[in-house]
Amino acid sequence: MRARTLALELRRSSGPLAGALVAIAGLCGLYLPAATGEASLWDGQWSMLAGYQRIMLVVLWPLAVGAGGWHAGRDRAARMEELIATTPQPRWRRVLPGALLVAACLAVGYAAILAAGAVRVVTRTSYAHPGWVPVALVGALSLVAAGLLGAGVARLVPSKYTPLALVLVGFAAVVLPPEALGWGEHGAAMLLLPELLVELDEFTAVATRVNVGQAVWFGALAVSGLVLTVVGRRRWAWAATVPAVAGMLVALAVLRPVADAPIVPDAGAAAEVCTHDGGPAVCVTRAHAKRLPALVAPARQALRALAVLPDAPTSVHEVVHPGTQPVAQVWLSVDNVDPRHDADEVTARILGGAGTQFCPGSAHYRERAVAAAWLFGRYPAPGFEMLPPGEAVARDRAWQALRALPADDQVQRIAAIRRAGLVCGDLSAAIEGR
Amino acid sequence: MMRFLLLYARSRQIPGTLAAATVAMAVVALAGQSHAAVSAAFAVASGAALLGFGLSGPDDRLEQTGARRWATWRAAHLAAIALVTAAVVLVSTTAPTALVLRDAAGFAGLAALAARLLGARLAWAPPVAMGAAVVVLPVLPEPYVIALLTWPAQPPGNVSAAVAAVVLATLGGGLYVLRGSRA
């Protein structure tokens, strides 16, 4: 395989076009959500970008299968098949450069999508880690497998209808199983699909076993496609089933233990990054380290407001999951660390529930909002204006009731809310003094 | 006339593609009843894609030498594609009739445009791409890019979707009828 052959194939094959189509489709997939303000689906973290790109394989994978099939029909479309077969070269030497080039172009197109997304991700997070790389590599490998498989099948069934059939069957193969079963975890067999069926957030990663199993499976598929493409006699084509079946069995064995939990917490992303400037500590997760400078002033403002309480907290921490909150800490839910909030709103949000964690399942929005307003010194506190219908009256009443108490009792009630919030307790009992 | 019609159909492999297209459209439309508009749109797209192969014969330049009004034949062929896709999908879907008719016209035009620009061998690609976009994108009225990309599944009253279909039908149909497929 000389460089000259490859250069010729580069000019004369549909590979570069296929790669460009992959890149364009991927760019649309990345930046159309940006048009609807949903770029946060992927721009928060590297693993989210890699995972979102894998979701886009729903489109890219059938495209790659079709591109491989189209390439394999090139000689026939030009009515050159028999003429070329007369050259004294074995089949594999004639077809291997072109097939590998198309596969490589597909992978380059996939990498181009990653690069286009990276431009935006670097501005959002400073948490750089290698954990997302396998996810992206498996995606690129699945495109390579798709291209080679398409070329192999088109070689077996040489017809002008083959590329269309490949695209339609490929699309059905990636769309119908999740459509029938729904998103989420459905056992090891569903993990054989190229697309990722679970959304990643900033604090999750794909389990290593999943990446390994999928790499085995798509590597085996690529080998099968390659065998189909290059094998000299068509009657030896059955040999292509061997790597595919073997790969599937190995992959299923690897994937089965993690089928129920393909997504694992990313401890590195949730690790704390704190201020070390001598003032009260303000800590955020590493994934949000870029947002720390903007958070420091509002967080310390909140600590000053909380100083009126007995056992006042001395540090602010962003937390991903609720747990046992220490008395000396203010916990801030990860959802509230949002660059769109202004300083006052951030302070008020930190003061929600008197600086206690947000407990899903026992949310107590009313008590949290009243405590925030009392500590912030304004009712309603900024960021707490949005109310479900009917809540406004009840919240006003709770606020009036609190303000009607003597000043010392008000402090006691807010302190009670804080004590209850620390352990995800009953905030409504606390505010009523029960 | 009858003999010519049979030869024309055979030269464009119409019996086979018609059978395949009918099955494909019916299966897609029936299987996707829970998302009627989207599945009807994709059914029309797959039908137009399969039937698009017939938009050119084995040797168009040779045919040109025959004493026939080929423009009329091309127009009739394209109209037949639109009618067949509309008819098959209408029997097998619960989506609104106006939506199916609009999509049939638009996708026939898109296939014709692709045949003119890319050749009949690749006339299937743009309809399939458009159909896939409808399946994977959320069908929303806003923002405009999304509305335009998902025109085949927009409700029948949507003006930009209707305009998109009319533009594709007239542009693609016009070019194809006047000039035929790319060689």
Side-chain angles (χ1 to χ4, degrees):
Chain A
M1 241 195 289
R2 300 211 189 93
R4 207 162 57 92
T5 321
L6 282 179
L8 196 65
E9 288 283 2
L10 199 59
R11 266 194 302 149
R12 292 294 178 196
S13 81
S14 49
L17 180 66
L21 286 177
V22 165
I24 292 169
L27 277 182
C28 293
L30 283 183
Y31 285 97
L32 278 181
T36 52
E38 284 167 31
S40 57
L41 284 173
W42 56 268
D43 71 359
Q45 224 247 64
W46 289 100
S47 50
M48 286 173 83
L49 172 63
Y52 185 80
Q53 217 187 342
R54 289 284 297 278
I55 296 173
M56 291 197 291
L57 284 174
V58 161
V59 171
L60 304 181
W61 208 79
L63 169 60
V65 180
W70 178 260
H71 169 78
R74 176 183 60 172
D75 296 348
R76 195 180 144 87
R79 301 181 185 177
M80 298 285 281
E81 209 176 19
E82 288 174 322
L83 179 65
I84 290 173
T86 62
T87 52
Q89 290 224 13
R91 183 182 161 85
W92 67 266
R93 289 198 58 170
R94 281 185 278 120
V95 297
L96 194 60
L100 289 182
L101 190 84
V102 171
C105 285
L106 293 168
V108 169
Y110 195 77
I113 307 172
L114 198 65
V119 174
R120 200 176 159 108
V121 174
V122 283
T123 65
R124 303 295 149 118
T125 184
S126 56
Y127 172 48
H129 63 114
W132 57 275
V133 176
V135 181
L137 285 179
V138 168
L141 180 62
S142 82
L143 278 195
V144 168
L148 292 173
L149 207 60
V153 172
R155 188 259 166 131
L156 272 195
V157 192
S159 152
K160 66 175 175 179
Y161 302 106
T162 307
L164 169 60
L166 283 170
V167 170
L168 291 180
V169 171
F171 194 52
V174 293
V175 167
L176 290 186
E179 182 66 26
L181 295 172
W183 271 47
E185 289 123 34
H186 296 290
M190 288 288 275
L191 289 172
L192 295 180
L193 289 173
E195 78 267 32
L196 213 54
L197 288 172
V198 265
E199 235 169 281
L200 291 176
D201 65 27
E202 292 161 292
F203 305 103
T204 49
V206 177
T208 308
R209 269 188 104 98
V210 173
N211 289 326
V212 171
Q214 290 178 335
V216 168
W217 162 238
F218 288 114
L221 270 192
V223 172
S224 282
L226 209 54
V227 170
L228 274 183
T229 310
V230 302
V231 72
R233 289 168 196 280
R234 284 181 50 177
R235 74 175 117 105
W236 285 103
W238 62 266
T241 55
V242 176
V245 171
M248 188 170 78
L249 293 178
V250 173
L252 284 177
V254 174
L255 292 172
R256 190 154 294 133
V258 285
D260 298 327
I263 300 298
V264 292
D266 180 352
E272 278 198 331
V273 177
C274 298
T275 55
H276 296 289
D277 54 0
V282 179
C283 303
V284 292
T285 58
R286 228 164 116 202
H288 287 167
K290 272 204 159 191
R291 304 180 190 171
L292 181 58
L295 189 70
V296 172
R300 288 182 178 159
Q301 180 63 37
L303 285 176
R304 279 193 289 278
L306 284 162
V308 299
L309 300 180
D311 294 331
T314 54
S315 61
V316 176
H317 301 258
E318 179 194 12
V319 292
V320 182
H321 302 294
T324 315
Q325 181 177 351
V327 178
Q329 293 185 2
V330 168
W331 277 14
L332 173 61
S333 159
V334 61
D335 304 324
N336 283 331
V337 185
D338 190 323
R340 284 171 299 185
H341 300 153
D342 68 14
D344 273 358
E345 186 171 346
V346 174
T347 304
R349 282 173 182 270
I350 294 171
L351 292 172
T356 56
Q357 58 190 323
F358 181 83
C359 305
S362 58
H364 295 293
Y365 293 102
R366 186 183 310 154
E367 293 77 15
R368 291 181 67 82
V370 168
W374 190 89
L375 288 158
F376 189 79
R378 193 201 308 167
Y379 179 85
F384 288 87
E385 293 92 352
M386 291 273 280
L387 289 177
E391 170 66 11
V393 179
R395 190 173 292 182
D396 283 346
R397 203 172 293 143
W399 172 249
Q400 303 297 352
L402 179 68
R403 297 295 291 176
L405 296 172
D408 281 353
D409 287 5
Q410 290 181 26
V411 176
Q412 288 311 316
R413 293 286 170 89
I414 299 296
I417 288 180
R418 180 165 166 82
R419 277 193 303 276
L422 290 174
V423 294
C424 282
D426 186 354
L427 270 60
S428 55
I431 200 173
E432 287 159 16
R434 283 188 274 127
Chain B
M1 184 65 187
M2 196 58 206
R3 183 173 155 71
F4 177 78
L5 205 61
L6 283 176
L7 286 174
Y8 181 87
R10 200 176 77 180
S11 73
R12 274 138 179 89
Q13 301 178 329
I14 287 178
T17 45
L18 185 60
T22 308
V23 172
M25 286 190 283
V27 167
V28 172
L30 287 172
Q33 291 290 10
S34 49
H35 315 281
V38 170
S39 65
F42 192 78
V44 174
S46 57
L50 272 160
L51 295 172
F53 279 106
L55 290 176
S56 115
D59 196 333
D60 286 354
R61 257 185 277 174
L62 186 63
E63 283 182 355
Q64 286 297 323
T65 63
R68 296 273 172 193
R69 286 177 180 277
W70 287 109
T72 316
W73 278 92
R74 286 194 291 262
H77 190 164
L78 205 54
I81 289 180
L83 284 178
V84 166
T85 49
V88 176
V89 175
L90 275 178
V91 242
S92 36
T93 188
T94 52
T97 308
L99 180 146
V100 177
L101 292 177
R102 175 194 71 193
D103 288 7
F107 275 116
L110 185 58
L113 186 67
R116 174 64 221 143
L117 298 179
L118 310 171
R121 279 179 71 98
L122 214 47
W124 55 270
V128 169
M130 189 96 256
V134 174
V135 174
V136 296
L137 291 176
V139 182
L140 301 169
E142 290 281 327
Y144 194 64
V145 206
I146 301 275
L148 212 54
L149 282 174
T150 58
W151 70 264
Q154 293 287 342
N158 189 301
V159 179
S160 21
V163 170
V166 169
V167 166
L168 285 175
T170 49
L171 185 70
L175 276 175
Y176 174 73
V177 167
L178 290 178
R179 310 280 310 276
S181 283
R182 195 180 107 160

